[in-house]
Amino acid sequence: MKYHMQTFGCQMNVSDSDWLDRSLNSLGFEKTFIEGEADFFIINTCSVREKPEQKVYSLLGRLNAFHEKKSSVFACVGGCVAQQVGKGFFERFPFVRLVFGPDGLAMVPRALQRLEHELRLKISLLDFEDYYPERGENWPDKMPPQAFVNIMQGCDNFCAYCVVPFTRGRQKSRPSEDVIKECRQLISLGVKEITLLGQNVNSYGLDKQGLEINFVRLLREINRLTGLKRLRFTTSHPKDMSPEAVKAFGELETLCPHLHLPLQSGSNKILMEMGRKYTRERYLELVTGLRDACSEITLTTDLIVGFPGETDTDFQETLDIMNMVGFDSSFSFKYSDRPGVRAELMAPKISEEIKSLRLDILQKLQEEWTLKKLSQRVGTTDQVLIEGPSKRQRPDVWSWKGRDSGGRIVNIEFKTREDFTGRIFKVIFTRSKKHSLEGKVVI
Ligand code: SAH
Ligand code: SF4
Ligand code: F3S
């Protein structure tokens, strides 16, 4: 059977979809990129804001036309919206035959084998487990140079605006043995750079009551693996960033000088309402500590504008702290009401108009900082890991896309037609663009 898959949301969803692809392919299911060829559709969904959730309903409405043309065509809905809406999908879209939440993913390949043969069957995999459900692996012979490794599932923080604790459940750390085994395996398949994934990586292990190593120990163990060139992790919560984790940036050779540290707001009042459990002063202290440990560290963040009760003064405090830190880049969002979260009941809600206005001001300020930070790189050198060919090519030169140690995109031109994927070069940056750099290999 042929399937077509679409993925929304964060890196954890992307990594879940990659696993599903490998697993389904090993069972003989064939992936297609043409919707009209598919025997079934898989949608891996995100419900962090209203927009990606709405996209799921309109997509299912559109895909239903394929079912109407050929009645055996069906759809599977997975991920965070599936966990929230659950069996509701069966009623709203009768051609949906499988719904699965993040903890049900491991059972999806088996479920699809049953759906293939039992044509009247519908399956829901929505139970939360109280442990990290380990998944069987089917690695290909060779992997791309960059890979993601899950170290945990779920979140216990219940930030007032966030749906993730409801869709991914309580925090469950994956046994460090399994994490390290997977890292080893990936390195043996050609992986050079590993990014550890979790909603709140700094609290890794803490749910295991002393029976598991903590996050920094885990970093140290992975840092020691022979053949690994680069280590990254995401996402960190400022309240759980320990002094040891800060110091690790100056100490561990493979740990890249890049940290994504979501700030969300620069106003202490809003941070408190959000339940973030840190102040702007504490965040700035962390930034100072990080820069002391590693002067060239790249800092990126997430910001929300228009949280209930956010005044012009609160918003101005966010702009001020952005200028104090000087983030290399940021993801910024308009606050969006999610069903069942605490902020849904908070007032006053900020109008769509003001949210748009604030987002626009904030993003323009970030653009200025991004440009400035990128232009400061010109003339300096760094290691660049080549990930693959660039999108844009010119005649007679071959352009390759890589990333510097801070995670910035770097395009490099070569005169020879060799495959440079996975190679690491020392590069001097020659030009900065809006969101990327150009560089030349230094011999
Ligand atoms: N676990 C991570 C990321 C969670 S979701 C963390 O704690 O940082 C990614 C980002 O989406 C969040 O950092 C936040 O900025 C944004 N976000 C989450 N819920 C939102 C909501 N209801 N409205 C707008 N943005 C939201
Ligand atoms: Fe959501 Fe907060 Fe958990 Fe991040 S830490 S996933 S924002 S509840
Ligand atoms: Fe979205 Fe779920 Fe990730 S809500 S951001 S896919 S954890």
Side-chain angles (χ1 to χ4, degrees):
M1 280 182 114
K2 285 190 179 175
Y3 68 96
H4 182 279
M5 176 144 67
Q6 279 206 48
T7 303
F8 299 92
C10 63
Q11 209 42 255
M12 297 199 79
N13 258 17
V14 174
S15 149
D16 286 352
S17 290
D18 286 349
W19 177 83
L20 197 52
D21 266 335
R22 290 194 295 272
S23 185
L24 291 182
N25 295 342
S26 77
L27 293 174
F29 292 101
E30 196 185 323
K31 184 170 180 152
T32 173
F33 293 95
I34 302 163
E35 286 175 348
E37 272 184 14
D39 298 301
F40 63 93
F41 297 100
I42 303 175
I43 312 174
N44 201 358
T45 64
C46 171
S47 71
V48 80
R49 281 169 291 278
E50 198 184 342
K51 239 195 218 151
E53 179 178 350
Q54 291 307 332
K55 272 193 202 156
V56 176
Y57 305 125
S58 54
L59 179 60
L60 279 169
R62 192 168 64 71
L63 295 179
N64 191 44
F66 292 100
H67 166 74
E68 276 170 2
K69 252 191 243 152
K70 191 174 162 201
S71 66
S72 62
V73 170
F74 64 96
C76 312
V77 187
C80 291
V81 182
Q83 187 67 50
Q84 267 204 311
V85 175
K87 291 181 187 168
F89 274 112
F90 294 149
E91 283 140 39
R92 210 166 147 188
F93 298 96
F95 83 122
V96 171
R97 293 181 59 207
L98 171 65
V99 290
F100 60 97
D103 279 9
L105 184 78
M107 290 177 284
V108 169
R110 275 271 307 130
L112 278 165
Q113 284 179 315
R114 288 188 62 199
L115 292 175
E116 185 178 1
H117 299 293
E118 298 171 55
L119 300 182
R120 306 193 77 80
L121 188 69
K122 293 192 179 198
I123 300 178
S124 64
L125 304 168
L126 297 166
D127 287 345
F128 281 123
E129 306 291 350
D130 55 8
Y131 58 91
Y132 180 95
E134 203 51 48
R135 311 158 180 171
E137 267 304 348
N138 297 283
W139 300 115
D141 296 338
K142 195 169 181 327
M143 288 287 289
Q146 203 284 332
F148 293 94
V149 172
N150 274 353
I151 66 168
M152 65 212 296
Q153 182 72 273
C155 180
D156 288 345
N157 285 329
F158 289 93
C159 300
Y161 49 82
C162 185
V163 78
V164 172
F166 302 93
T167 61
R168 293 219 168 227
R170 292 295 66 68
Q171 174 177 319
K172 291 152 286 191
S173 297
R174 183 179 182 191
S176 52
E177 251 177 56
D178 294 330
V179 172
I180 292 166
K181 199 169 112 203
E182 182 166 322
C183 291
R184 261 209 202 99
Q185 176 90 38
L186 287 169
I187 295 166
S188 75
L189 295 171
V191 168
K192 301 280 184 337
E193 175 181 308
I194 288 176
T195 303
L196 304 178
L197 282 185
Q199 289 299 344
N200 191 10
V201 290
N202 306 92
S203 59
Y204 173 83
L206 302 184
D207 50 306
K208 293 284 186 276
Q209 285 93 26
L211 296 174
E212 187 50 273
I213 58 176
N214 68 16
F215 180 58
V216 177
R217 277 275 309 279
L218 182 70
L219 286 180
R220 289 188 188 283
E221 298 283 327
I222 299 172
N223 176 58
R224 288 201 331 222
L225 299 178
T226 324
L228 181 69
K229 303 288 183 220
R230 286 178 163 186
L231 182 57
R232 303 182 194 274
F233 55 82
T234 198
T235 307
S236 297
H237 193 305
K239 85 172 160 57
D240 297 317
M241 193 81 201
S242 65
E244 292 73 35
V246 171
K247 275 209 308 241
F249 282 99
E251 288 173 6
L252 306 183
E253 312 79 65
T254 62
L255 187 59
C256 287
H258 172 207
L259 181 65
H260 184 70
L261 194 61
L263 167 63
Q264 313 299 0
S265 167
S267 148
N268 281 340
K269 182 191 92 193
I270 297 294
L271 286 172
M272 177 128 104
E273 297 278 310
M274 285 176 164
R276 291 290 287 177
K277 303 192 178 72
Y278 55 84
T279 58
R280 60 187 272 127
E281 290 76 20
R282 164 81 183 127
Y283 190 93
L284 288 168
E285 226 173 76
L286 272 172
V287 170
T288 308
L290 285 159
R291 288 187 169 146
D292 284 347
C294 174
S295 55
E296 82 273 27
I297 196 163
T298 299
L299 292 172
T300 57
T301 200
D302 288 352
L303 296 157
I304 297 177
V305 299
F307 185 80
E310 186 187 68
T311 60
D312 283 341
T313 318
D314 294 318
F315 175 60
Q316 187 57 47
E317 287 183 342
T318 300
L319 300 178
D320 291 345
I321 196 169
M322 284 173 74
N323 283 325
M324 288 159 93
V325 178
F327 293 107
D328 290 80
S329 66
S330 61
F331 296 108
S332 43
F333 313 99
K334 289 192 255 184
Y335 167 77
S336 160
D337 253 346
R338 304 314 295 132
V341 306
R342 274 183 294 134
E344 198 191 5
L345 303 174
M346 290 182 182
K349 293 283 191 292
I350 307 302
S351 72
E352 203 47 40
E353 203 185 336
I354 293 184
K355 281 197 269 190
S356 300
L357 211 72
R358 288 183 184 163
L359 188 68
D360 196 45
I361 295 171
L362 187 152
Q363 290 184 336
K364 287 213 169 89
L365 177 63
Q366 184 56 58
E367 290 270 299
E368 283 172 29
W369 273 104
T370 303
L371 272 178
K372 188 161 151 190
K373 291 277 174 174
L374 284 170
S375 66
Q376 282 170 356
R377 300 284 287 164
V378 175
T380 67
T381 59
D382 193 4
Q383 306 284 332
V384 172
L385 169 63
I386 305 289
E387 293 181 353
S390 306
K391 266 195 225 128
R392 270 200 217 131
Q393 299 290 346
R394 292 196 296 140
D396 300 329
V397 283
W398 287 272
S399 181
W400 290 82
K401 190 189 98 173
R403 279 178 202 271
D404 71 3
S405 58
R408 298 172 200 84
I409 292 174
V410 185
N411 289 296
I412 309 170
E413 290 186 340
F414 290 89
K415 294 254 154 54
T416 56
R417 196 185 198 136
E418 233 175 285
D419 183 358
F420 292 109
T421 309
R423 296 269 297 275
I424 295 176
F425 294 103
K426 186 174 175 192
V427 166
I428 180 158
F429 302 112
T430 49
R431 221 177 123 193
S432 63
K433 304 187 89 174
K434 218 169 161 195
H435 297 287
S436 62
L437 291 162
E438 285 176 8
K440 261 198 213 135
V441 173
V442 183
I443 318 280

